[in-house]
Amino acid sequence: MKSHDLVIVGAGPAGLAAAELAARLGARVALIERDRLGGTSVNTGTVPSKALIRLGTLFAAMREASHLRHPDGDEPVANFQRVAARLRAIEHRVGSFHSAERLRRAGVEVHFGVARFVGERTLVAGSRRLNFRNALVTTGARATPPSIPGLVEGSYVTSDTLFSLEHLPRELAVIGGGALGCELAQAFRRLGSRVTIFQDEPRFLPGEERDAAQILAQSMARDGVTIRLNTSVVSARREPNAVVLETQNNQHNAEARADLVLVSVGRTPATQGLGLDAAGIRMDAAQGIVVDKFLRTTNPRVYAAGDVCLPYRYTHVAERTARMAVGNLLGEGARQSHTNLTIPWCTFCAPEIAHVGLQAWEARKKNIPIRTFTVMMQDIDRAIIDRQDVGFVKLHVAGGSDTILGATIVASRASEMINEVCVAMSTGIGLRALAKVIHIYPSQSDAIRIAALALDEPLAPA
């Protein structure tokens, strides 16, 4: 039986990136996928959710525009069958780039079936047995199911099943105030659903700056989302035309009814059925597959990348670490450590909340001296012109220097603006050099330059 240089399990963004790179490097590559190429990101995650957010933004703009004309009708509500058709078209267009035929032309063997390790250097995919010199596990993560009594399968959806809906829910309950829960709650409200979101902590996005989370809560409330913070859903029951949730807030019990319940309480590494024990691969129930800083598992011939092994569960991190793993396992150049990565992320609400590097609260906890420079978007001309002047740019630098340690941006285009800070941090560009970069006027990203200019401004008298 011929042996492959690399067998990759999972054809999401990480697996696809790894397969294409390894094939370009001349390796004999096999890629195994149990369902659809593109994985969660293309089929049930990033692509459809951001497409839904975009459509919600269009409806919000229609409502804003209605204030500039004579009133002539009710507030616009989405035809969700047409919305669903638009989402499927976008998914097809994005996903078609990574077709099996294209991968095979690039030299990648593509196999569909459930993969399982049966030895330290052997995998089975369906009825096919594959030997390998190296393997890479990129199976990603799946939505964590709820542990709420009475909320049984069929009475709720997750981000993995939400996008098969054909009708807009009249009443939507969202359980979980993390990034995806907030994104979908706001998007569905803008499309016309009545939405209530339940978060068992005192604020949304507990890992973000407090003022950023507060701005998000205010924005969602302006859109008409009903917000229940410090509120746990303790049980549920199914009635003929609704799901009834029993909630608890500071010992106060209440009930809420919804046509549809969306559970967004995190994601769990997808390792079930992989036969990891047979390959000598150790895993942790919460973290997933255990890897070292070079992404190597406890089986030195098997590596892992992306959501299945790392806490930062983002498509861009999955792709980057997959390419890093391929370089490490094929011995291409110096080995790279994933612990040295500068990782940005963004919550795609309105306004967007993007972050990279050190948080202010982390600096305090670690006794790292920092100086923070803040510019409010209400002082940026382009943000005023766009009527998108809610938010801020915060840049954190090391005390006594201009080295950028982190940034938080709350703005309508924060996902684009944060990339400039990422480039500066990754290449060692300090705040003084960043202040000298000419930015287009008017642009929202000019807020970064203005914040950087503040470094050398004289301190106000005490």
Side-chain angles (χ1 to χ4, degrees):
M1 186 185 303
K2 59 189 177 184
S3 179
H4 294 80
D5 297 317
L6 176 60
V7 174
I8 301 168
V9 182
L16 292 169
E20 292 167 1
L21 175 58
R24 285 200 301 271
L25 294 174
R28 178 176 173 78
V29 185
L31 177 64
I32 306 170
E33 171 55 41
R34 67 184 302 164
D35 190 8
R36 292 181 290 175
L37 297 178
T40 297
S41 179
V42 170
N43 299 299
T44 61
T46 304
V47 170
S49 67
K50 280 31 177 193
L52 189 75
I53 290 166
R54 167 60 181 160
L55 294 175
T57 301
L58 289 177
F59 276 80
M62 291 167 62
R63 295 185 185 99
E64 181 181 349
S66 68
H67 297 300
L68 303 177
R69 60 174 172 78
H70 294 294
D72 60 355
D74 297 331
E75 123 174 346
V77 176
N79 180 325
F80 206 74
Q81 289 180 314
R82 294 184 178 180
V83 168
R86 171 75 66 89
L87 297 184
R88 286 192 294 269
I90 292 170
E91 292 165 29
H92 176 74
R93 179 176 176 182
V94 174
S96 62
F97 178 75
H98 297 292
S99 66
E101 293 75 15
R102 179 180 173 277
L103 289 166
R104 289 175 179 132
R105 287 197 300 270
V108 178
E109 288 184 22
V110 180
H111 305 285
F112 290 94
V114 177
R116 176 170 53 89
F117 287 95
V118 294
E120 291 189 354
R121 296 181 65 173
T122 308
L123 273 160
V124 171
S127 60
R128 190 181 296 269
R129 192 178 183 91
L130 295 94
N131 289 343
F132 58 81
R133 290 180 57 197
N134 296 286
L136 176 62
V137 181
T138 55
T139 48
R142 297 190 175 93
T144 303
S147 56
I148 299 169
L151 193 62
V152 297
E153 191 171 344
S155 62
Y156 68 91
V157 294
T158 68
S159 59
D160 289 345
T161 57
L162 172 69
F163 297 103
S164 61
L165 290 179
E166 291 290 341
H167 301 283
L168 185 72
R170 186 173 55 87
E171 298 273 0
L172 174 67
V174 179
I175 301 175
L180 189 57
C182 290
E183 290 173 357
L184 293 175
Q186 189 178 47
F188 271 94
R189 176 67 196 103
R190 289 178 157 200
L191 290 170
S193 296
R194 291 196 290 271
V195 179
T196 302
I197 184 169
F198 300 92
Q199 166 73 329
D200 59 4
E201 298 196 41
R203 61 190 176 97
F204 296 127
L205 308 180
E208 295 288 359
E209 301 279 0
R210 181 178 297 275
D211 47 0
Q214 182 62 31
I215 287 173
L216 174 58
Q218 293 168 349
S219 175
M220 292 174 66
R222 280 194 298 271
D223 276 321
V225 176
T226 301
I227 295 170
R228 297 286 183 261
L229 297 174
N230 283 315
T231 302
S232 300
V233 178
V234 296
S235 67
R237 68 179 186 273
R238 184 84 194 191
E239 294 188 352
N241 297 314
V243 178
V244 180
L245 303 177
E246 183 180 343
T247 66
Q248 190 172 79
N249 178 300
N250 294 327
Q251 307 305 314
H252 174 71
N253 293 334
E255 287 188 347
R257 302 172 67 87
D259 303 329
L260 181 70
V261 177
L262 168 62
V263 177
S264 182
V265 293
R267 299 187 66 78
T268 301
T271 59
Q272 188 175 7
L274 285 176
L276 299 177
D277 289 342
I281 300 171
R282 189 161 66 89
M283 70 160 290
D284 175 87
Q287 173 187 338
I289 294 176
V290 177
V291 294
D292 64 14
K293 65 180 183 178
F294 301 116
L295 299 164
R296 183 174 52 191
T297 72
T298 48
N299 178 339
R301 289 290 184 177
V302 180
Y303 287 63
D307 296 10
V308 76
C309 63
L310 299 175
Y312 296 106
R313 291 174 181 151
Y314 308 112
T315 298
H316 47 283
V317 176
E319 290 185 350
R320 179 67 185 93
T321 56
R323 293 189 179 96
M324 181 180 292
V326 168
N328 289 344
L329 66 87
L330 292 180
E332 293 291 327
R335 291 204 296 175
Q336 303 174 72
S337 169
H338 74 85
T339 59
N340 297 327
L341 293 175
T342 300
I343 297 175
W345 63 80
C346 183
T347 299
F348 291 86
C349 286
E352 296 178 349
I353 300 175
H355 178 81
V356 65
L358 195 69
Q359 301 271 21
W361 57 266
E362 287 179 313
R364 289 192 295 271
K365 185 176 180 180
K366 297 177 181 178
N367 293 317
I368 298 174
I370 63 169
R371 293 178 65 190
T372 299
F373 300 93
T374 304
V375 169
M376 305 304 294
M377 296 306 293
Q378 67 187 21
D379 297 325
I380 301 302
D381 293 356
R382 180 57 187 267
I384 296 169
I385 293 167
D386 293 340
R387 287 179 55 87
Q388 296 170 338
D389 58 344
V390 174
F392 56 79
V393 169
K394 282 188 180 182
L395 302 178
H396 308 304
V397 300
S401 79
D402 74 337
T403 301
I404 304 170
L405 298 182
T408 295
I409 300 177
V410 181
S412 64
R413 303 176 188 181
S415 58
E416 305 291 341
M417 294 165 65
I418 199 71
N419 293 322
E420 180 178 351
V421 183
C422 293
V423 171
M425 292 178 64
S426 297
T427 57
I429 296 172
L431 208 60
R432 287 189 178 89
L434 194 58
K436 296 176 183 177
V437 175
I438 298 175
H439 288 62
I440 287 175
Y441 177 87
S443 66
Q444 295 198 23
S445 63
D446 198 36
I448 296 172
R449 180 187 65 86
I450 294 171
L453 282 170
L455 177 68
D456 290 323
E457 289 181 357
L459 295 175

